[in-house]
Structure formats: C-alpha cells, structure tokens
Amino acid sequence: MSGLEVQQLTIEYRVANQTLPVVRDINLSVGAGETLGIVGESGSGKSTLGLAILRALPANGRIKAGQVLLDGIDLTRVQGPALRALWSRSLRLVPQNPLAALNPTLRIGDQLTEAIGGRRQDAIAQAAALLARAQIADPMRVLRSYPHELSGGMQQRVMIAMTFHGAPRLLVLDEPTTSLDVTTEAAVVDLLADLIAERRPAALFISHNLGLVARIATRAAVLYAGELVEIAPTTFLFQHPRHPYTQGLLASLPHPGLRYNQNPLQPIAGTLPDPGALPAGCIFAPRCPLADEQCRRERPPLLPATPDHLVRCHHWTMVEPYAPSPATPTINALTNGQPLLAAHRLTKTITPRRTFADLVRGKRPAPMIALAGVDLTVCRNRTLGVVGESGSGKTTLARCIIGLTPPSSGAIELIDIPLAPSIQQRPPEQLRRLQMVLQNPQEALNPALTVGEALRRPLIRLGGLDRRTADQRIPDLLRLVSLPPEYANRRPHQLSGGEKQRVAIARALAATPDLLVLDEAVSALDVSVQAAVLNVLAAIKERTGIAYVFITHDLAVVSYLADDVVVMYQGQIVEQGPVAAVLSPPLHPYTEVLLSASQPDGIRAREADTAVPPPVSGCPFQPRCPRAIGELCRTTPPPWRDAGGGHLIRCHIPLPDLRAAQMTD
Amino acid sequence: MILRYLLRRVVLLGVTVLISSIIIFVICRLLPGDVARVLLGREASEAALTALRAELGLDRPLPIQYLDWLRGFVSGDWGVSYSTRQLIRPLVFERLHNSLLLAGATLLLAIPLGIGLGVWAGRRAGKLDDTAISISTLAVTGLPEFVTGLLLIDLFAFRMRMLPANSSLRPDANLLEIIPQLILPAMTATLVLLAYIARLTRAGVIHELNQDYVRTAMLKGLAPFTLLQRHVLRNALLPVITVIAISLGWLISGLIVVENVYNYPGIGRLLTFAIDRRDLILLQAVAMITVVIFAVANLLADLLYALLDPRIRLGDETR
Ligand SMILES: Nc1ncnc2c1ncn2[C@@H]1O[C@H](COP(=O)(O)OP(=O)(O)O)[C@@H](O)[C@H]1O
Ligand SMILES: [Mg+2]
C-alpha cells in the first residue's frame, strides 16, 4: 500500500535514570500526496513524533513499540546502510530553524550536491534547477553562498529545495515557517503546497498555527500530552471540533473579528501535564470543563464521531460547534483620546560593526536606517498596536521610547514634558511612568530571585514604598496577572513560559506606569497561554487606565487587542489610525499584503530583487509593492492621505482607487 | 586588500613588541647582581670594574642604553654575549632552529593523538571510554614536566635502552642522528599539550553533534565517516586549530623545563643559561625573540580562524 501508516507508535526519552513515554499509542495514516496537519501546544510531542517517523530521534530517544509503515516497509526495523539508503532516497525533513539546519562552514552548493549525489556537474545543474523551482531568483549566486549570507526566507527555500530532490516518499515539515515573517511564511507555504501536489510524498505538517494547518492540510490530528485526541478533515475539525481540547485551542485563537471588549478569547485553564506524572483516566480531564468521574477513571478510546472523524473523549457529543459571533467593527475613534506620549521626527541610524570581510576589503559597512522620521502619539487608556515585518524598526522604536537606545535625532515627550534620550538621564519618576516587557521572559527574570523578590524591587525603588507595604502589595500584583499569591515564593525555573511572562508583566506594573511597552510579549507563547495573557492585559487596562504600545507581527492579535495601529515599513510609518479603519478593509498595499498573508489566495508582495538598490527618494515599499503605479512610486516620496477619523495612509495611489481595489478583489 | 588588514595587524604587533621590549629592558636592569662583578669575579678591583662598566656602556643613562640596544636589535646587531664572548645573533638563531625542530616533532605527535582521542571521547560522551580518556589525559597533564620527563627517561632510556637520555645535539649532527634525540623531549611536551587538544576537540565534537545541521546531513544518508569529517569535524576543529597555533609560541620558547631535563639546546635552555650567568645582553635578546614568537603565533591563530570560518571571513549579519 502506498503512503504512511503509523500503528500504535510509542516513543520514550531516557532522562537521568527515568524513561518518559512522551508519545503514546499513535495511529494515523497519510496517503501519498496527502498532507496531514499535526497541531498541539509546545511540549505535546509533535517534533518527537515527526523525528521518530523519520528514524531521526536524538540519542536518548527510542521507539518503544509500534510500527511505521512507508509504502508497506516497516521503518522501525531498518538499520545501518539500509536506513541510510532510505534516508537519502525517500525520507525528508524541513525543520523549524533553517539557519541551524545548514552547515555554517559549507557553501550551499556543496550541501545541496552532497544530498543529490552522482557526478558533480550533474548534481550542480540539478541543484540550480531545484533552487529555481523553489523560486530563488539567482540560483548560481545562492549556490556559491554560505548560509549566513542568505535571509531566513532564502535559507528555508534552500532547505525546501534540498528536500525535494529525487523522489521523496515521506516529508516531515516541523514548524517550517515559524521563524519567518508572515509575508515570507505565506509564500513558503504556497511553495510547499505546490511541491507536495507535484511530487506526491506523504507529508506531515507540524505547526502550532491552526490557521496555517487549515490552509495546507486536508486532514489534521490534534496531539495532547503525547496522545492523539482528535483527527478529522480540517474543515470539520475547525468548524465542529469534538474534543474539548480542540475546542479550547480554537477559542483561544484571536480570529479576525474578535475583540477583547465584545467577545473575549477563552483560554484553556491549567497547563500540560508533566510527562513523568500523567493523570489516570483521560489525560485532559484536569483541564477539561466537561470532566466527570468517568473521565478521571477511564482513559477514553478513539471514538468515531463520523467515519473519518475520530475523537478521544467520553463526552464528545456534548461539545458545542465552534461559532464565535464576529464583533461589529466599531471604529473607536480618537474622540476620547488624551495624548500621553508623543514622538516627533524620531530617527535612528545604526552603524554595524565592521566585519572581517569589510576589513579585508577596506570598506565601511553601510549605516542602517532603523527609524526614518517617525511621528507617533499614544493616548491614555488606549492600546497602540505596532505592526510590520522583522527589521521594520518596531523594536528600535520601543527602545527609543523607553530610553534604552537614544534616537539619532527627534524628541519624545510625556504629557508635554520632554524626555531625556537615554534612560540613565531620566529621573525615577519618568522611569516609573514608562515600563517595558520583552519577548523572552527567560532573559528578563533573574533566576536567583523569587517572584516576590522580583516584584518587591520596583515597588520600593520606583513606587517609593517601604518594605512592609511593598510586601503587602505583592499578592495584589500577582492577582492582577491572574496568578495565585503563593507564586511569590517560586523561582523562575518553577514557572512555565506563560507564567514567566505574566510575572514580567506584573513586575512592569508594580511601578504603576502610565504606559507599558510590550515588544512581541506574547509571540513566543502557545495560543492558550497567549489568550490568557491578552485577556489579563485587557482587564488591567480597563481597571487601571493604563496605555499600551503593543508591538507584534501578528495582525490577528492586534485586531483583537489594539484600539489604534501603526504599520511600519523600513523605519517609516506607512499607515496609521483606529484599528478597525486600518485593518478592515486594508487600504495601504503593504497592510493589505500583511493581512492577506494568512489567506490561501491573498495578494502577495513581490520578492524584492536584491540586485536593484532600493529607491533612495521614492516609496520604500515600491520594489515589493503589488500595486505600484510606476515611475512616480520610484522617484517621489508618497504623500500622506487622510481617510478621516485619524486614519492616515502614505501612498501615491489615490484613496478612491485604493478603496475600489478592495471592492473588486 | 587583505594586505590592509594584515598591515593593521602587523602594526599592532609592532606596538606590542615595542612595549614588551621596554618591560624586558627594565626588568633586566632590575635583576639583582652586577654584570661587571659577575664577569670579573669576586677579587676584581674597583678600578677594573669601573673600566669594564664603561666599556660595556653600563654607566650611561638608562634611556640612552635602551635606545642603543633597541637600535642594535632592530638593525640585526644583537651584540656579543658577556659570558661566552660569542656573537649573539647566530647563537640565538641556531637555538631557534633546534626549538623549531622540537616544536615540529611535538605537534606531529600531539595533533593526531589529541584530536583522535578527543573525537573518540566526544562521540562516546558519557560512556566508559570517554571517562577513561578524560581522566588519563588530565592526569598526565597534571604531572609536572620534570616528573613525566624523568619517568620517560627511566622507562625508555634506562630500562628499555631504546632512546638516549641526553638530547644535547652534536653541532654537525644530521637529521638521522637527531631524530632519536628528539623523541623523548617531544613526548614530554606532547603529554602537556595532549589534554588541551583532546578536551577542546571533545567539547567541540559534542557541541556540533547536537546541532541541527548534523541531523540534516545524517538524513542525507551520508556514511558515518563522511558525516564526521565533512560536517562535525569541520566545525568542531575550528577552535582547536587556533589553540594549536597559539601553543606554537609556547612550544618554541616555553619548553624551559623540558629542554633542561633533556639538556636540549633550544631557546628555553639558552634563557636559563643567560639568567644563570647574569648575561643581560643575551637574556634581553632571548626574551625579545620569545615575545616576537608569541605575538606572531597569536596573529597566526587569529588569521587562521578568520580564514577558516566563513561567518567571520564574510561577516555574519545574524550576530
Ligand atoms: N531530547 C529529549 N530528551 C528528553 N526529553 C525530551 C527531548 N526532546 C523533547 N523532550 C520532551 O518530550 C516532550 C515532547 O517534546 P516535543 O516533541 O519537542 O514537543 P513539541 O514539538 O510538540 O513542542 C516534552 O515534554 C519535551 O520536554
Ligand atoms: Mg517542536
């Protein structure tokens, strides 16, 4: 039989002197040319399953039981040279981080030809063809490059090209786009779908992004704590999930149209069980709203809800269809806006350090313009979303506001008080009023301090409290971010990622700031945890009147949480205004490209041609703009166009034309 | 264009050497003991001592003496040894030649052995053989050179009578005679170096084996040996190579104990000889050449690393 058939697969890791069965009793089948999505929170065993199927588990991992049949051959029994032959011929992996997956000291050409094999001349020709097929414009140059000389998207295209040489029979895609920008992600997913349809391997698409899975996979399996809890065609799965866990994942996802104040997200309570201490009965029971005695006693079998929809739940008939009522897009205009912070003509030029190559060639690296004249107003009790691809200047903007990076020119003021450019020069009162939360809570929390100690410091230093009053405030702070007061005694390593991020937020709030800058603060979190943190932020804002600058690449999150939004491209704001006005429908072509990245046939940015220097005088987005109108865009800086209600668009295309484009598409 | 970079590094090297030369000069003048007294002996008259000091220029102000010496050193006039009355430059270069021979022999032993052991241990990390290799190399390195040296002499020279205990090369000896005399000192120096190379290699191999790109390469179906040498070692050995280049400086001029144990006529032994005899001018010359060798070895190490790692050579935007 053709395709992949996994039977009763159980995988364990040896850690210290213990064996942890992290994946248990998995049954699934994927036909040739079919893509099966695998979703689940991080730690649920997705990568472990994918690697085990490829026979590429790390050294401490082992297939304990079960079979992996590929075209009828049991892969679990193949060893040594036979396994290597299978690897080179049929089994392929596209991993999450392409830079790490490529050898840093070998040229791309060498790495590709090594996979292809055969005579070098033929292999090179074939490699160039593969790169061209993966939509790389200049294959010969890329073949001569080292991995670090390519962008993330290019690196992943190289990995994909490497994956599709010969005739792959089994393809595991382990979060292949997680490290990419949304625009690049869209193009890479299109490419993958295309290649799978063309070469017809059995494909597993592993992702925590349910939207992506729905786009590329015909069926999807939901993994929870190492068990398959539901498997169904994606349309069924996402519209009528039968497992409370799947339901919970969907209800945590910021769909377009959901708003924090109208129909908030419903995060799943609790956390994934420790693989060393799994609950008896149903593994999801401790977090399940439907759990009863039976669930805690008996492990449910996979039950057929329909012939091709299996679900591991005693009470699947009680799970309601998932149908959030979309929020009515009300433009929450700037009428009640009281300016809190204003930035004027901020610029920041960063001169990179000279590399060895620069030294050798005797040239200086070109200075990088991170901010090119940004004007910005943040209002009291409002959330300003800042969106844009990586490298668009979002983080630099945040750092300038906080004072971590002094701007090259321009000024920032807080309710008419000019702020010193650097944090060292700002008085404690100003420090108190502006706080920041970073993407990675691991780096932000001192591992030696308990949560209570971490919170006490800002209470005393910035809040001006004495130690006793400060200690009395700590439980309130923890409750504010929905953590139990007992957490004050924990240390960072005893917290999950979402809990750490909530502690980081609590610490920032300890100083009772007027403005909190959150730089990709929820991006690394699982959807259910992200939903919880977003709701916490929304609740705090309602209660305290705080304002947020919320930086993210995720437009769904912005449309859920933000009141206003600015869209950045290459250090400039290209569009700004109330979130409903900017996002539905998008008018600026760049905003449009960002938004339609999540749609299967959305409009895509052109791949910028690196050989042509970007326009110095015209619109920065012109080289990639799908709607550019010609010479004007290249030569003249676009004007600001006022769409009313504080909605501004910087584009050469007249507003009526932009609106008309949205009507016809 | 690489010349530009080289030029900068060479200028930097020159400054380092210049500063070292001042330190060397000052320290030599601060050493206890009077050169004239050493040369003429205890019974010499005050008049004779003064005359000798004047002859050697030791009565002039220190800065003048320094500049004089430096000018001489740079122009190749290194002076005449106080104690042996030989021209210093040929003497130093002869010893340098011998030291190079010994360093070469040592590297010939230490590199394959150290890397071999390191790779073995790294691939078998945590297993019994890994532990055995780590403990034994560490133990050997922990022993002082004169102990290992004497043990080796006892074993190979006295008990087994395979190799000579004394390595004081005859001046006109040909290579065939020299080789047996090189083996024991080279072995002793190797034992010092071995654990460094092995441990660094082991750490590198373990680190690289855990990288994603090794899994990518493995999934290409490469044979284990190809995987190891083309992917793992290529990256794991980068830091090892630089350490070897740096240790070259130590091997040429730092083998003082080893050369003395075996009576080997290298730079290290010349240094102890000069100190022994209060032969300041010889001491200065030897110290200077040592500094130059160390500086050059360091430059070599940096260049090598930069040339071998494309991320440094071509600039890495991700860092
Ligand atoms: N090499 C390993 N050794 C021990 N435990 C591991 C190893 N890799 C992953 N795990 C554990 O196995 C479980 C599943 O991990 P993983 O497959 O990476 O999940 P996912 O890909 O869904 O995030 C987690 O509890 C994780 O901590
Ligand atoms: Mg994973």
Side-chain angles (χ1 to χ4, degrees), chain A residues 410-432:
Chain A
I412 304 176
E413 58 199 35
L414 186 66
I415 331 178
D416 302 333
I417 310 164
L419 290 176
S422 144
I423 200 163
Q424 282 92 9
Q425 305 158 334
R426 296 185 182 174
E429 173 57 13
Q430 290 178 0
L431 297 184
R432 181 189 70 71

Side-chain angles (χ1 to χ4, degrees), chain A residues 606 609 611-625 628-638 652:
Chain A
R606 289 184 286 150
D609 189 349
V612 181
V616 269
S617 54
C619 171
F621 188 54
Q622 177 270 335
R624 292 175 59 198
C625 183
I629 52 177
E631 202 48 25
L632 184 63
C633 296
R634 260 179 52 77
T635 51
T636 317
H652 280 299

Side-chain angles (χ1 to χ4, degrees), chain A residues 42-43 45-48 96 174-175 206:
Chain A
S42 61
K46 305 184 297 295
S47 299
T48 302
Q96 172 167 353
D174 190 356
E175 314 237 6
I206 296 173

Side-chain angles (χ1 to χ4, degrees), chain A residues 105-120:
Chain A
T105 51
L106 278 179
R107 291 176 197 277
I108 300 294
D110 295 332
Q111 304 196 46
L112 271 171
T113 50
E114 174 182 69
I116 294 166
R119 268 186 47 221
R120 193 170 159 75

Side-chain angles (χ1 to χ4, degrees), chain A residues 83-249:
Chain A
L83 179 59
R84 289 201 293 276
L86 259 174
W87 274 336
S88 99
R89 219 171 337 109
S90 314
L91 313 185
R92 302 289 155 76
L93 171 73
V94 179
Q96 172 167 353
N97 181 347
L99 180 59
L102 290 164
N103 188 332
T105 51
L106 278 179
R107 291 176 197 277
I108 300 294
D110 295 332
Q111 304 196 46
L112 271 171
T113 50
E114 174 182 69
I116 294 166
R119 268 186 47 221
R120 193 170 159 75
Q121 283 309 316
D122 304 343
I124 287 179
Q126 215 180 323
L130 281 166
L131 289 180
R133 180 67 188 83
Q135 288 154 19
I136 286 177
D138 188 358
M140 288 327 270
R141 185 182 62 81
V142 169
L143 285 176
R144 282 190 306 272
S145 306
Y146 287 96
H148 73 267
E149 297 177 287
L150 307 176
S151 68
M154 287 285 234
Q155 289 161 359
Q156 197 58 296
R157 285 175 200 277
V158 167
M159 284 305 295
I160 290 170
M162 195 183 290
T163 304
F164 280 95
H165 79 82
R169 303 299 307 138
L170 172 60
L171 177 59
V172 173
L173 307 155
D174 190 356
E175 314 237 6
T177 58
T178 303
S179 60
L180 307 178
D181 269 318
V182 279
T183 48
T184 319
E185 172 173 80
V188 166
V189 168
D190 292 349
L191 172 67
L192 280 170
D194 230 34
L195 279 166
I196 292 169
E198 181 185 309
R199 306 289 173 86
R200 304 191 58 73
L204 289 183
F205 186 88
I206 296 173
S207 180
H208 64 269
N209 185 333
L210 305 185
L212 272 188
V213 169
R215 258 176 63 194
I216 194 173
T218 43
R219 290 185 305 139
V222 182
L223 224 56
Y224 179 78
E227 283 181 18
L228 200 122
V229 295
E230 186 165 10
I231 181 166
T234 41
T235 41
F236 284 1
L237 193 67
F238 295 142
Q239 269 151 34
H240 200 161
R242 294 299 196 169
H243 197 284
Y245 177 61
T246 318
Q247 168 85 318
L249 283 181

